[in-house]
Every structure is written in C-alpha cells, then in structure tokens.
Amino acid sequence: MTVTTNSPSSTYVITAGWTNPTDAYSSDNVRTYTPTTTAAQGYGNYGFSFAAGTVIDKVEFGIERYTSASGDTISLYYSVDGGTSWTLVTSSTPTSETLDYYDRTADRTWTLDLLSDANLKTKILAYLASGCLIEGTKILTPEGPKNIEELNVGDYVVGNENGRKVFSKIKAKTTHFLKTMCHEYKGTGFAGNHKVWVDGEWKNVYDIQPNAREYEGFIYNIETELGNYYGENDLLIHNLTKT
C-alpha cells in the first residue's frame, strides 16, 4: 500500500483575520495566527496525482496547531466541491502544539475526482473564548428561573454565600452577537471559557465537557455582588464578564 501525504500550496481568505496564512503550508515552526474570532482561511492545490484505477483505502486530514488562551478553539473543515459546502473534521482547544490526523474515510465513497485540486479544499476557523452564556440560558431568581436575556442590572438572582443560597444583585451585564463554539453542561450552553462549581472547586466547562457545537447568536454575561449565581439543575456559575 502506498501512502501519500501532501500539503497545500495555495490559500485564500474566507473571513479576514489570519496573518501570514502561507506559513501554514508546512511544519517548520513558522506559523499563521489570528487574534480575530470567526477568522476563516481556505487552502487548496494539494497536488494529488494518482494513476487511473487507483483504489483509495483511507483518507486522513492532519492539522498542527495550538491556542494561546484556554477556551479558544481552532476548527478544521474540508470540502470536496471546491468550497461550496464544508464538513467539520475537528474542533479543539490545545494550549500546547500538537499534530493530529483524523480518519475521515467513512464520511463518503472517496474517488480520485474528489481529491483533485478543483474539488479538495480545507478551511481553518478560529473561535476566541468569550466567557458568556447563550441566549435562553435559565438563571435562578427569587421568582424562579428566568432567561438570562430577560435580566437587567439591579435585578436579583440566587447565588451562594458560605454554602447558603441567598439573593444577589446584578451589578453589570454584557451582551454580544457572534459566532462561536458552545459547550453544553447540565442544560446550560457556555460560549468559551467559563467556570462552574463541581466537586468542591471551580472548573472550566470545556475541561468537563470538551465536546462543542457551533453557535451563532446573542451571548450574555452578568456580574453579581456575590460573584456567582445558579443556573439550571442547581449548577453554580462563576462570574466572568468581558467587554
């Protein structure tokens, strides 16, 4: 069996934000990077050349990457129709540099035409940690659960003080609209880096629930006098306000 591994030799902007995107052509410790959430860069011209009748037994996609902030996500996609539609390969939040290959043989019946330069494209997409909660998140209040988007500065929620549930006033609230990755835990959707109280300590949601899905919409955060508040299923959530 012959194994062929090729890298791209062309790139194009899908959503602006990646600096020096040609630096992603090879693994040489010279890297492309972005400080921009939802920045997307396309790659192509992999230059695969096979003899007629070649049977494709396995197809893998590889990516070497790392994030500089916990909770930031890099996603890899591929397209076999020239970039018209995309299939997600992986979304990950590595804070140390890793090179990983992902087997996508079972995705479809692979033909030589699908691997041609005209059809095969890849895309990298960045989501920066926002530390917020998605629209529709239930927050416990003295009147019962309410959606986070319905709460305002000066309203009261239920928080925890020395192991007791007490009322706590909202001091600040932030709202953003963006496309990001959402980690769901105990009925609550978290965008990026957020901490919850689990087993006697504050833990990052993405460490508890590494799987994520794409989310596009409003995200919200509230800052309370106690520095915490309860969501669904008695989940205690830490304040993390970003502007």
Side-chain angles (χ1 to χ4, degrees):
M1 181 178 67
T2 301
V3 177
T4 304
T5 303
N6 285 6
S7 298
S9 60
S10 69
T11 186
Y12 59 98
V13 174
I14 299 174
T15 303
W18 287 92
T19 299
N20 301 328
T22 58
D23 288 345
Y25 286 170
S26 61
S27 177
D28 56 5
N29 293 321
V30 180
R31 307 170 183 86
T32 182
Y33 61 92
T34 182
T36 306
T37 194
T38 70
Q41 189 74 21
Y43 290 88
N45 288 349
Y46 282 84
F48 287 110
S49 179
F50 302 101
T54 298
V55 176
I56 300 172
D57 295 314
K58 190 173 186 179
V59 174
E60 293 182 330
F61 291 87
I63 181 172
E64 184 176 21
R65 74 290 192 208
Y66 74 95
T67 61
S68 58
S70 297
D72 290 351
T73 301
I74 300 175
S75 299
L76 172 66
Y77 296 77
Y78 75 86
S79 172
V80 290
D81 56 13
T84 300
S85 60
W86 297 93
T87 299
L88 177 66
V89 176
T90 181
S91 289
S92 54
T93 59
T95 53
S96 60
E97 190 165 359
T98 60
L99 172 60
D100 298 298
Y101 285 88
Y102 299 88
D103 186 353
R104 307 306 303 219
T105 311
D107 284 356
R108 64 192 72 247
T109 300
W110 290 92
T111 65
L112 300 184
D113 184 60
L114 294 181
L115 297 177
S116 68
D117 284 347
N119 288 322
L120 181 63
K121 309 292 179 184
T122 56
K123 174 177 71 173
I124 52 174
L125 177 63
Y127 293 114
L128 304 190
S130 54
C132 295
L133 309 177
I134 67 172
E135 190 168 12
T137 295
K138 299 292 185 183
I139 304 299
L140 186 59
T141 77
E143 295 79 32
K146 290 184 179 180
N147 289 345
I148 193 169
E149 62 267 24
E150 299 172 358
L151 300 175
N152 297 296
V153 173
D155 291 346
Y156 283 87
V157 296
V158 179
N160 185 290
E161 185 176 38
N162 299 322
R164 298 181 301 110
K165 288 184 176 179
V166 297
F167 298 160
S168 180
K169 184 184 290 187
I170 296 175
K171 297 166 52 182
K173 180 181 179 181
T174 59
T175 304
H176 306 279
F177 185 93
L178 71 143
K179 188 174 184 180
T180 185
M181 299 302 291
C182 172
H183 298 257
E184 294 181 340
Y185 180 66
K186 287 193 173 182
T188 299
F190 296 88
N193 180 12
H194 217 116
K195 294 182 182 293
V196 294
W197 187 256
V198 177
D199 298 330
E201 63 178 317
W202 293 109
K203 295 183 179 181
N204 291 316
V205 170
Y206 56 76
D207 290 331
I208 304 168
Q209 174 53 272
N211 296 325
R213 63 176 176 85
E214 289 187 359
Y215 171 81
E216 183 172 10
F218 286 100
I219 58 173
Y220 302 83
N221 208 346
I222 55 176
E223 181 182 356
T224 67
E225 292 176 327
L226 286 177
N228 63 69
Y229 49 89
Y230 282 94
E232 288 192 87
N233 300 306
D234 215 33
L235 181 65
L236 187 60
I237 303 169
H238 193 281
N239 282 176
L240 185 60
T241 302
K242 295 186 72 175
T243 57

